[in-house]
């Protein structure tokens, strides 16, 4: 399955805001089996069911430009470095201003519990969004 490639974090986060959800950004690398697992078994099905607004960011890509939350065009690699998100996969949960709303999920340490960790972070992020 596929997941939208990040092109404009301002546009993606505006879509998430309209849906009342956080923007989930997954850092990824080509050929990363754990990235495939998270994308194919969690984020893509959830996105297809309109349960999340999620995009992926290839942290090795120094050529594709992405509009950052501040409106500036930067490479995906540069954005990942600004976030200190150098490990793939890392899931980050943002509001429309680029503020992280919940603790990141770094890697897939325990695959059997990944779904529960993801649900917990999504609930935390949604609760913070609703309180704002």
């Amino acid at each position: 399955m596929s997941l939208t490639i990040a092109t404009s974090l301002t546009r993606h986060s505006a879509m998430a805001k309209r849906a009342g959800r956080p923007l989930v950004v997954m850092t990824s690398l080509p050929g990363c089996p754990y990235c495939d697992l998270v994308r194919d078994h969690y984020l893509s099905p959830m996105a297809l069911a309109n349960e999340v607004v999620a995009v992926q960011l290839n942290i090795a890509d120094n050529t594709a430009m992405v509009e950052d939350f501040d409106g500036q065009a930067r490479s995906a690699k540069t954005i990942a470095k600004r976030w200190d998100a150098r490990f793939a996969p890392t899931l980050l949960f943002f509001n429309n201003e680029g503020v992280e709303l919940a603790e990141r999920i770094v890697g897939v340490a325990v695959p059997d519990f990944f779904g529960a960790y993801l649900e917990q972070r999504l609930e935390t992020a949604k609760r913070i969004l609703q309180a704002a």
Side-chain angles (χ1 to χ4, degrees):
M1 291 184 203
S2 65
L3 193 63
T4 301
I5 303 296
T7 54
S8 169
L9 296 173
T10 54
R11 185 171 46 83
H12 300 308
S13 64
M15 289 172 46
K17 182 179 181 179
R18 282 192 299 277
R21 297 188 175 97
L23 174 65
V24 180
V25 179
M26 180 184 86
T27 63
S28 65
L29 287 169
C32 165
Y34 293 107
C35 299
D36 294 342
L37 172 78
V38 171
R39 179 179 41 252
D40 297 346
H41 294 279
Y42 296 97
L43 294 181
S44 289
M46 292 174 83
L48 286 172
N50 291 318
E51 296 171 358
V52 298
V53 177
V55 296
Q56 66 180 354
L57 189 75
N58 179 349
I59 61 175
D61 191 343
N62 208 22
T63 58
M65 299 307 280
V66 177
E67 181 185 0
D68 206 339
F69 287 105
D70 64 2
Q72 297 296 310
R74 295 183 174 88
S75 73
K77 185 175 184 176
T78 299
I79 291 171
K81 281 184 181 179
R82 283 172 37 108
W83 295 340
D84 195 26
R86 294 182 177 105
F87 190 81
T90 296
L91 270 60
L92 302 103
F93 306 86
F94 292 105
N95 70 7
N96 69 311
E97 297 171 352
V99 175
E100 284 189 68
L101 300 171
E103 182 182 350
R104 301 171 177 195
I105 300 175
V106 180
V108 184
V110 184
D112 291 344
F113 296 117
F114 188 84
Y117 296 146
L118 177 57
E119 287 295 329
Q120 176 195 33
R121 299 313 197 288
L122 286 169
E123 287 303 316
T124 298
K126 286 179 195 174
R127 191 171 51 252
I128 292 169
L129 278 176
Q130 291 170 353

